[in-house]
Amino acid sequence: MNRAVSAATAALLAAAPAAASITVFEVTTQDSFSGGQDFGAGPYLRISGIARGELDPADPRNVPIADLGLAPRNARGLVEYATEVVILRPADPARANGRLLYDVTNRGRKMIFGNVFDAPGAQPELNALRTPGSVGLALPLRAGTTVVWSGWDPEAPHANDGMRINIPVLPGVTGPVRDEFVFGTRINPAERPTAPLSYPAAETDPAKASLTVRRRREDAPQPVAFAFAGDRAIRLLPEGTAFTPGSIYEFRYTATGARPLGIGYAATRDLVSFLRHGEADGQGRPGPLGGIAIRTSFALGISQSGRYLRHHIDLGMNADTNGRRVFDGVLAHIAGAGRVFVNERFAQPDRTATWHEDFAHPEDWFPIAAAETTDPATGRRGALLRGDGSDPLLMEVNTSTEYWQKGASLIHTDPVGSQDLPALPNVRHYLVAGTKHGGRFGATTARGNCHNLNNPHSASPLLRALLAALEDWVDSGTAPPPSRVPRLADGTLVPAEEALRRFPQVPGTLRPRFATPITPVTDWVAGTRGAEEAWRPLVPAVDADGNERTGVRLPDIAVPRGTHTGWNLYAAAGLQDEMCDREGSFIPFAADAAARQAAGDPRASLAERYPSQAAYVAAVRVAADVLAAERLLLPADAEAFVAAARERSVSDAGDPDLGRKASGRIAAPAQAARIASTTSCTSRASRSVASGCGLPRVMAATLASCRRSTSGRSRAFGMASAAGCQAPSASSRSATDQSCSRTAPTGPRSVQVLWSSFGVVPTLPVSVTGTPPAVSRAAIVVSARSPAG
């Protein structure tokens, strides 16, 4: 990839004034993290501070920030901001690995340790960031990575250590606003007596505002009597009337208090640049990293935060005020096709559009994809990436939910869904098959507001492997695993109606009517959208069990105990055909043929799929090892999946604690020493020829990607010891190549023979037609006696 700044960009930078950035970095507290515990790179320091910055509205790099020119200015003619910052850094600079990992806050919350590294604490503990439980597996801390958080939304919840930014209010600016309230999902508790307003009302005369309600999205809105409860809330009349949980209330009013919220992007840009380049602040004081030299920087964003990173790139904020790249690598998780409703007057960053909630608040703008496409609605051509030296290496990871509710297919097809986009060398896309939007460690099958059992499957094991691969990609140029998403070309990306037609008819299960339409919002106050047919989102094809046929099928999906989806339906009366926010479904298989027949379930039972516990464990072992060989699972996570399979009976598919048992979690924090002891094993791809690593030789045939995988490293943030592997020697690579040449199967029958030795009769995807690489890419399906669909 060409990292040089283009000639046009260079000319612009040369002509642009040198704008101020971080003028003051004030350290408010500095403590030894977790009592000085050594996670692997020595003790860490926890630093809290305030970064104060200034922006020049005339600087071309700041021009994309809406309304910046209307903001109050200081004596130097610059716009000021102040953002809260928290840093975890090695106390000893010599133990630092030179990497900076920026975790984009989500509504003020710290996300990485709870969603990627299986931290068991509740969100207040994760935000406080003071205990071992707040960092979970702590792989970044074992490796010596510096981790950074900062605020970017001035209205983010501040309780329980939530993080904010202070941005000036635009003086004298008023305007129309539409707020939407859905109690019990977006507004909690459901019995709250008032509805909070996004902005202060400019006047509190009910005659100059309106409130409507409808039960379903397609229902006609009906007027509702209300009164203001101050200038930041309303209540229903007559007094004491409760809001109906699940119904859609819309309130239109004239507001004040608008801010140039896009400053949050510039604050992120300037803070990371300040930390990365070891600069002194505007008063000549050194930064808070105390001698740590940052070589590379990474950003992780989850959900809203992932959409934030897509927006950050689109606005050109990945080049700092001196034209230097801000983030070398970016991983946007569960962002779908969207960005954040933030860079507009009276924007509302906390909105997230689904079919039932926030449907007509802006989230999707063209361009959608990293590759260049044409918008059929306007004829405009464009790409998310800029094609200059500021582009990061980009990974976009989505679950099934984002295909059904967030238009995720549009990041790798043209907008009309007629063709796959060409692969870019600096971009990877991955589907976490069979997973819901918020799938993480500790999820259970508890229904909540939904009708079907919830989906407990966790995306975290894949995210750990992909972060390690992103690090390798940036640090050494080692290419990460190829994109793994459904494609039009092979029939694994289909219209929602086709996926629903093929979905099994399981009694008692509710299914959606369609995938959520994706289109630009034309007037968010009026609540109008563009033509729904302009953009055409598609969804992953499913097999006869209803499980997705492609994507990264983690072991609990490749060796299923039920059907996992990225959608669910509301349970409440009048809402049972509305998708239940961003939840998923788990539909367990029957225990045996008799139970299946009694229930009228067309899917094979557990006993019919897995003749014995040993057969089930063996199937999980192969699925996990294939993924580890492809660097889509850390070796220690592969072992954890196998250990979880041993611990539970084949018949406990409906266990409400399934998500805790089957997360693929590497280890509890107290087990760090056990993980470090695995350093003697070579990478999974060469285990068929290495001594002492425990992979049965007969399984070598299934590791058809070994030629590619043995030349790379499966590292967790540069820590081979933490990940449980190290780069194989040249001799083991050669031996593995020879082994693969001798034993790789030549077609599906060969693989079936291999699996039959474990008492399991697998069904391979239809894409597996003969070559060993095809077997590898398919991530072997283990739904015995179940057609591939």
Side-chain angles (χ1 to χ4, degrees):
M1 180 181 59
N2 181 10
R3 293 291 197 173
V5 179
S6 69
T9 304
L12 175 65
L13 298 179
S21 52
I22 300 301
T23 57
V24 175
F25 192 98
E26 175 188 354
V27 174
T28 54
T29 63
Q30 178 170 307
D31 306 300
S32 181
F33 175 67
S34 187
Q37 180 175 346
D38 184 350
F39 291 89
Y44 262 64
L45 297 178
R46 183 193 186 280
I47 300 170
S48 295
I50 302 292
R52 304 183 188 279
E54 296 178 335
L55 300 174
D56 183 356
D59 190 321
R61 303 171 190 87
N62 298 327
V63 167
I65 301 173
D67 287 337
L68 183 62
L70 301 180
R73 306 190 190 191
N74 62 20
R76 293 180 294 282
L78 304 177
V79 178
E80 298 179 343
Y81 66 84
T83 183
E84 299 172 345
V85 182
V86 171
I87 299 171
L88 283 182
R89 48 148 289 193
D92 180 359
R95 305 290 297 275
N97 63 12
R99 299 183 186 95
L100 183 151
L101 176 57
Y102 181 79
D103 176 24
V104 183
T105 53
N106 180 315
R107 296 169 180 85
R109 300 170 297 173
K110 300 176 180 71
M111 299 295 287
I112 185 170
F113 290 112
N115 288 272
V116 180
F117 296 113
D118 294 357
Q123 192 61 51
E125 181 182 359
L126 303 183
N127 284 349
L129 200 68
R130 296 186 182 280
T131 65
S134 66
V135 292
L137 302 173
L139 292 188
L141 278 63
R142 298 185 197 180
T145 298
T146 296
V147 190
V148 178
W149 299 262
S150 66
W152 57 269
D153 177 2
E155 294 292 327
H158 214 206
N160 296 318
D161 294 284
M163 300 184 71
R164 285 182 171 180
I165 186 173
N166 185 10
I167 293 174
V169 171
L170 303 177
V173 173
T174 62
V177 167
R178 178 176 63 91
D179 271 332
E180 181 178 292
F181 319 113
V182 180
F183 284 74
T185 58
R186 302 298 168 80
I187 300 202
N188 286 292
E191 61 274 13
R192 177 175 171 155
T194 61
L197 304 184
S198 297
Y199 289 91
E203 45 189 331
T204 55
D205 181 358
K208 296 181 179 180
S210 68
L211 178 67
T212 63
V213 67
R214 50 183 152 171
R215 187 61 173 162
R216 299 162 65 252
R217 176 59 59 190
E218 294 160 309
D219 295 341
Q222 303 298 319
V224 180
F226 73 95
F228 280 94
D231 66 354
R232 290 300 298 263
I234 59 170
R235 58 182 173 83
L236 297 182
L237 294 177
E239 188 165 355
T241 302
F243 290 91
T244 302
S247 293
I248 304 167
Y249 293 85
E250 292 175 281
F251 185 60
R252 292 174 173 86
Y253 62 107
T254 301
T256 187
R259 308 170 194 255
L261 295 178
I263 283 178
Y265 291 106
T268 296
R269 173 196 69 191
D270 294 346
L271 171 67
V272 174
S273 179
F274 168 74
L275 296 173
R276 177 172 185 175
H277 297 291
E279 298 166 343
D281 66 16
Q283 297 184 2
R285 296 181 299 191
L289 298 191
I292 295 176
I294 299 299
R295 295 183 290 101
T296 52
S297 62
F298 303 82
L300 170 73
I302 297 174
S303 190
Q304 180 204 44
S305 311
R307 291 185 283 119
Y308 179 94
L309 287 172
R310 284 174 49 84
H311 212 157
H312 165 94
I313 293 168
D314 179 69
L315 291 173
M317 293 293 171
N318 208 47
D320 71 9
T321 54
N322 292 307
R324 299 170 298 192
R325 192 181 315 107
V326 177
F327 297 117
D328 297 307
V330 165
L331 195 160
H333 179 50
I334 53 179
R339 292 177 234 166
V340 182
F341 180 30
V342 65
N343 196 36
E344 296 186 28
R345 187 173 299 178
F346 291 111
Q348 299 171 31
D350 62 322
R351 299 291 175 185
T352 179
T354 59
W355 170 250
H356 190 72
E357 298 89 357
D358 296 338
F359 182 66
H361 279 90
E363 183 169 309
D364 302 291
W365 295 266
F366 186 84
I368 300 172
E372 188 174 51
T373 60
T374 299
D375 182 4
T378 64
R380 175 189 167 199
R381 286 191 64 77
L384 189 70
L385 294 182
R386 306 176 72 81
D388 59 24
S390 71
D391 287 339
L393 296 174
L394 175 63
M395 288 182 174
E396 296 192 89
V397 186
N398 287 288
T399 68
S400 176
T401 301
E402 286 71 61
Y403 281 81
W404 281 91
Q405 289 257 50
K406 296 284 191 177
S409 65
L410 298 172
I411 69 175
H412 55 82
T413 73
D414 63 349
V416 297
S418 66
Q419 60 182 349
D420 300 313
L421 293 178
L424 298 180
N426 55 337
V427 178
R428 295 290 189 273
H429 297 124
Y430 305 96
L431 161 65
V432 196
T435 309
K436 70 176 183 179
H437 179 81
R440 53 167 284 186
F441 169 72
T444 72
T445 56
R447 288 180 169 87
N449 292 323
C450 305
H451 176 274
N452 304 328
L453 288 174
N454 218 315
N455 185 347
H457 190 251
S458 173
S460 302
L462 174 62
L463 293 178
R464 291 193 281 272
L466 291 180
L467 277 171
L470 181 61
E471 178 193 64
D472 275 345
W473 200 9
V474 169
D475 284 355
S476 64
T478 300
S483 293
R484 185 76 67 84
V485 290
R487 299 285 185 187
L488 287 160
D490 62 10
T492 57
L493 186 64
V494 299
E497 53 268 26
E498 179 177 334
L500 291 170
R501 179 179 60 81
R502 298 184 69 88
F503 196 84
Q505 299 286 338
V506 180
T509 298
L510 293 183
R511 301 185 298 173
R513 296 172 289 157
F514 44 72
T516 298
I518 303 296
T519 192
V521 170
T522 54
D523 185 334
W524 66 270
V525 177
T528 57
R529 293 161 51 99
E532 302 292 0
E533 65 273 10
W535 297 347
R536 182 172 175 250
L538 303 170
V539 303
V542 298
D543 62 21
D545 290 327
N547 284 316
E548 288 161 344
R549 290 168 46 196
T550 193
V552 179
R553 294 165 57 97
L554 290 172
D556 287 330
I557 306 300
V559 189
R561 306 163 72 83
T563 300
H564 294 76
T565 79
W567 47 257
N568 207 324
L569 284 297
Y570 278 113
L575 296 179
Q576 292 187 347
D577 59 356
E578 301 273 281
M579 278 193 277
C580 185
D581 202 1
R582 294 148 293 166
E583 302 296 341
S585 298
F586 176 62
I587 310 163
F589 296 143
D592 52 34
R596 173 177 63 78
Q597 292 165 3
D601 190 337
R603 304 166 301 158
S605 68
L606 289 168
E608 292 171 300
R609 293 166 190 272
Y610 312 116
S612 66
Q613 180 76 13
Y616 170 69
V617 173
V620 171
R621 161 67 72 186
V622 173
D625 284 333
V626 168
L627 290 168
E630 295 182 320
R631 295 195 299 148
L632 293 168
L633 198 61
L634 297 180
D637 271 325
E639 294 296 339
F641 272 109
V642 176
R646 292 193 188 103
E647 289 175 2
R648 64 178 189 244
S649 168
V650 172
S651 62
D652 72 349
D655 184 348
D657 210 27
L658 180 64
R660 298 181 187 274
K661 294 181 179 179
S663 70
R665 189 178 185 211
I666 292 178
Q671 295 174 298
R674 185 174 65 83
I675 289 182
S677 71
T678 65
T679 56
S680 62
C681 284
T682 58
S683 76
R684 278 283 175 198
S686 63
R687 287 194 176 187
S688 60
V689 295
S691 61
C693 287
L695 180 66
R697 187 176 297 272
V698 69
M699 297 238 186
T702 68
L703 302 181
S705 64
C706 57
R707 292 179 185 272
R708 179 179 70 253
S709 299
T710 51
S711 63
R713 295 180 298 273
S714 295
R715 298 188 300 162
F717 290 84
M719 290 187 64
S721 59
C725 65
Q726 63 186 18
S729 66
S731 60
S732 77
R733 288 198 298 269
S734 175
T736 302
D737 288 344
Q738 295 172 13
S739 175
C740 285
S741 298
R742 289 194 306 268
T743 63
T746 58
R749 178 171 176 77
S750 299
V751 179
Q752 288 181 338
V753 170
L754 168 73
W755 282 75
S756 66
S757 66
F758 292 94
V760 179
V761 182
T763 299
L764 300 179
V766 294
S767 61
V768 179
T769 56
T771 64
V775 176
S776 169
R777 285 193 297 272
I780 297 176
V781 178
V782 197
S783 295
R785 302 184 180 90
S786 170

